[in-house]
Amino acid sequence: MNDFTYPWIPDLGNGSYRNPVLYADYSDPDVIRVGDDYYMVASSFNCTPGLPILHSRDLVNWKLINHALKNVPGEKYYAVQPGCGVWAPAIRFHDNKYWIVFPTPDEGFYVITANHPAEQWSEPHLLKEGRGLIDPAPFWDDDGKAYLVHAYAGSRAGIKHLLRICPMAPDCSQLLGEGEIVYNNPEKHPTLEGPKLQKRNDWYYISAPAGGVQNGWQVILRSHNIYGPYEDKIVLAQKNSNINGPHQGALVDTPQGDWWFVHFQDADVYGRIIHLQPVRWEDNWPMIGINQNENGVGEPVMEYKKPAAGDVCIPQTSDDFQSPVLGIQWQWNANHFDNWYSLSENPGYLRLYPQPANPDIRLQPNLLLQKFPARSFTVETKLQLHPKSVGESAGLVIAGETQFMLGFESAGDKNIMVLNLNNEKQIITETSKSQITLKAEVSLGGQFTLSYSVDDTFISLPQIFQAAKGTWIGARIGLYCIKPRDVKQVGYSDICYLKFQ
């Protein structure tokens, strides 16, 4: 469909960019450069497929190219597990292979590999079992020895300010010992997590966010010995900017030798959105952002010169379902099954098969969702409901700790338009029609209105709603198709399109 547009473009078209470079919830980003290409990986929590991988040639324009993980390891993840699943991953290129090490904080560390980020990734290998272990990042030294740096989750381990480095087999098959705690200063940095280990000019550097997600700062640790002792320096903080908690991400260089820092900002309902900061080196310390004070603490930029020339490119959003495979922008709300949908039964449409409704609709596994892609946008979808039993339902959903669902529900010889807020249903109208167009208009702060049309005239609901974030993730928007749990005979819903403007 030619009228598909994208509501946030960071490339200003004049050699500069604006932050955020991704106005979407790509939480806990890690970035590497291989040749002229940059690859980003991010947390995915309970959403599947997991571990989104994005590609860029200039660190500003990004496009989704893959998900590295089909489903989260473990049977329990076939039920929605808010705040659990895949936390902060790390991506690396070593020995002509790509590696991702990721944690699930209730189980431990996993490792997967691929010959290319856009290709099939291996099945997860459990590198280390343990509850409360988070944010692992591998590192291969010049002598071929390998290490893993990681942090601890206060919610599971009872500690959240320690960083540990462990020796590791070079093939990431196992850790070779407990290693050592390399940093512990809770008075100065009461929360310290998300470490990444690098080497430059014979210095070992650990970049780590401190102080908490919403209001923290970025710390750099350095030492001439991998196990320390490490000296610390705060290099980025909010200061006079409006970018709260600017931290957790990746230091990455360009082919020309320039350096940049990719990090997130907690933006509440929008999730953890992605910013790009310039970096310069001074006395073997990375100076991040601008307006450094006497202690070297920088603040984030809102606009800046691009790292390199590159074509405008944005992550995928709108979908007209013309492809024989599900668009890469979609994620289910838990581990998923391929028989929940079809793109071949009615080519040109996404067919959703209703799954049993969860007593708490916020825990519905087969919600098919996307991230909020900008601070304001409009989403429109057109769908048909073809039920075989009373109570089958399909429509548009805005998901989070508060959940809003607007759509058709079968009432036998007619369909009723239902607004469902956290299982509290309100009947809007009834109709003999089987096709409906639904629209959500989201404004700054996540407030939104809902409207519907069964005859090409949109009728707006009178309420102004407030979207809500989920557990560690932003609000999401997409599609639902459900049925009463005791219903055996079911039909389907055909989705014509879902478009963002």
Side-chain angles (χ1 to χ4, degrees):
M1 299 184 65
N2 294 329
D3 57 347
F4 283 177
T5 59
Y6 195 82
W8 180 265
I9 298 176
D11 194 322
L12 298 176
N14 59 2
S16 298
Y17 71 93
R18 61 175 175 170
N19 273 317
V21 292
L22 288 169
Y23 213 126
D25 187 22
Y26 289 100
S27 179
D28 310 319
D30 191 30
V31 178
I32 58 169
R33 178 182 63 85
V34 180
D36 293 325
D37 298 288
Y38 301 93
Y39 299 101
M40 179 190 296
V41 67
S43 302
S44 49
F45 298 96
N46 55 278
C47 306
T48 67
L51 289 171
I53 299 177
L54 298 94
H55 170 260
S56 177
R57 297 298 294 269
D58 61 5
L59 291 170
V60 171
N61 295 284
W62 293 91
K63 185 175 182 178
L64 270 168
I65 61 169
N66 203 0
H67 284 88
L69 189 68
K70 180 176 182 179
N71 280 322
V72 183
E75 289 296 318
K76 80 173 189 179
Y77 293 102
Y78 286 93
V80 179
Q81 306 289 335
C84 301
V86 178
W87 285 23
I91 185 170
R92 293 292 179 267
F93 181 70
H94 171 74
D95 196 24
N96 294 316
K97 188 185 298 184
Y98 291 85
W99 309 73
I100 294 176
V101 182
F102 68 90
T104 59
D106 297 308
E107 290 82 22
F109 298 147
Y110 293 90
V111 60
I112 55 177
T113 61
N115 292 323
H116 189 276
E119 296 178 0
Q120 181 74 35
W121 288 75
S122 64
E123 289 298 312
H125 164 69
L126 184 60
L127 176 62
K128 180 176 176 61
E129 184 176 2
R131 179 175 168 82
L133 306 175
I134 60 169
D135 304 350
F139 170 76
W140 288 266
D141 209 341
D142 302 332
D143 59 5
K145 293 181 179 179
Y147 302 87
L148 189 81
V149 62
H150 71 86
Y152 294 87
S155 59
R156 274 83 167 172
I159 49 176
K160 58 177 184 176
H161 53 271
L162 304 180
L163 298 183
R164 180 183 292 274
I165 292 179
C166 302
M168 182 178 66
D171 63 357
C172 279
S173 59
Q174 61 181 323
L175 300 185
L176 302 178
E178 292 299 314
E180 298 181 21
I181 298 293
V182 296
Y183 195 82
N184 175 19
N185 191 337
E187 292 78 20
K188 193 171 186 179
H189 303 303
T191 298
L192 195 64
E193 53 192 354
K196 302 294 188 294
L197 180 58
Q198 293 170 282
K199 194 174 185 180
R200 179 183 181 273
N201 291 349
D202 293 323
W203 287 96
Y204 295 93
Y205 292 94
I206 300 175
S207 62
V213 169
Q214 293 183 333
N215 300 300
W217 51 91
Q218 181 66 30
V219 173
I220 297 293
L221 311 175
R222 73 176 187 181
S223 174
H224 282 300
N225 187 300
I226 195 164
Y227 290 116
Y230 281 86
E231 54 183 319
D232 72 292
K233 188 180 187 67
I234 299 174
V235 293
L236 185 68
Q238 180 172 354
K239 295 175 64 179
N240 295 317
S241 77
N242 61 358
I243 308 303
N244 60 295
H247 62 14
Q248 186 147 342
L251 281 166
V252 62
D253 66 348
T254 70
Q256 293 74 36
D258 299 319
W259 284 78
W260 296 82
F261 183 61
V262 180
H263 68 92
F264 76 68
Q265 172 199 7
D266 187 291
D268 194 62
V269 69
Y270 300 102
R272 300 175 184 179
I273 59 179
I274 306 304
H275 291 246
L276 177 66
Q277 306 299 334
V279 177
R280 61 183 175 83
W281 290 86
E282 185 176 299
D283 190 28
N284 283 312
W285 287 107
M287 302 287 104
I288 300 178
I290 57 173
N291 298 332
Q292 277 78 15
N293 62 18
E294 65 277 8
N295 296 316
V297 183
E299 69 178 52
V301 301
M302 291 309 300
E303 293 186 12
Y304 207 78
K305 182 180 178 181
K306 287 176 56 178
D311 296 333
V312 173
C313 180
I314 43 85
Q316 302 85 322
T317 52
S318 299
D319 202 339
D320 57 8
F321 305 114
Q322 298 301 307
S323 171
V325 296
L326 192 61
I328 198 171
Q329 61 268 44
W330 294 102
Q331 289 179 297
W332 302 95
N333 204 30
N335 280 1
H336 64 279
F337 295 94
D338 293 337
N339 62 6
W340 285 352
Y341 72 98
S342 172
L343 287 157
S344 59
E345 287 296 318
N346 187 6
Y349 290 80
L350 168 66
R351 178 160 293 182
L352 295 177
Y353 299 104
Q355 303 304 311
N358 194 288
D360 183 346
I361 202 65
R362 294 171 296 182
L363 302 180
Q364 187 67 31
N366 71 311
L367 302 180
L368 185 58
L369 303 168
Q370 294 192 34
K371 308 171 190 300
F372 275 26
R375 56 189 168 200
S376 59
F377 59 93
T378 297
V379 167
E380 180 182 308
T381 186
K382 181 182 287 186
L383 61 88
Q384 303 164 0
L385 183 64
H386 300 282
K388 290 185 178 179
S389 299
V390 171
E392 292 182 60
S393 180
L396 184 69
V397 57
I398 295 182
E401 291 176 348
T402 304
Q403 191 142 293
F404 307 85
M405 305 169 77
L406 179 66
F408 267 163
E409 182 176 310
S410 172
D413 59 349
K414 60 182 180 295
N415 289 322
I416 55 175
M417 169 66 60
V418 172
L419 175 65
N420 187 333
L421 280 70
N422 286 358
N423 289 331
E424 294 186 8
K425 291 185 180 181
Q426 175 186 348
I427 297 176
I428 305 300
T429 188
E430 62 181 51
T431 179
S432 59
K433 301 287 184 66
S434 62
Q435 180 169 284
I436 189 169
T437 305
L438 302 166
K439 184 183 293 185
E441 296 179 74
V442 179
S443 60
L444 183 63
Q447 289 192 330
F448 66 95
T449 58
L450 293 170
S451 57
Y452 66 93
S453 172
V454 293
D455 57 5
D456 297 326
T457 300
F458 274 97
I459 300 173
S460 297
L461 303 189
Q463 303 98 319
I464 296 177
F465 304 99
Q466 176 62 57
K469 64 182 179 181
T471 304
W472 303 124
I473 60 177
R476 294 164 293 157
I477 191 165
L479 303 162
Y480 73 92
C481 188
I482 57 177
K483 69 180 184 70
R485 299 186 72 82
D486 57 350
V487 164
K488 303 299 182 184
Q489 288 282 95
V490 296
Y492 54 87
S493 177
D494 278 347
I495 318 299
C496 178
Y497 61 80
L498 186 140
K499 62 182 179 181
F500 285 80
Q501 291 181 321

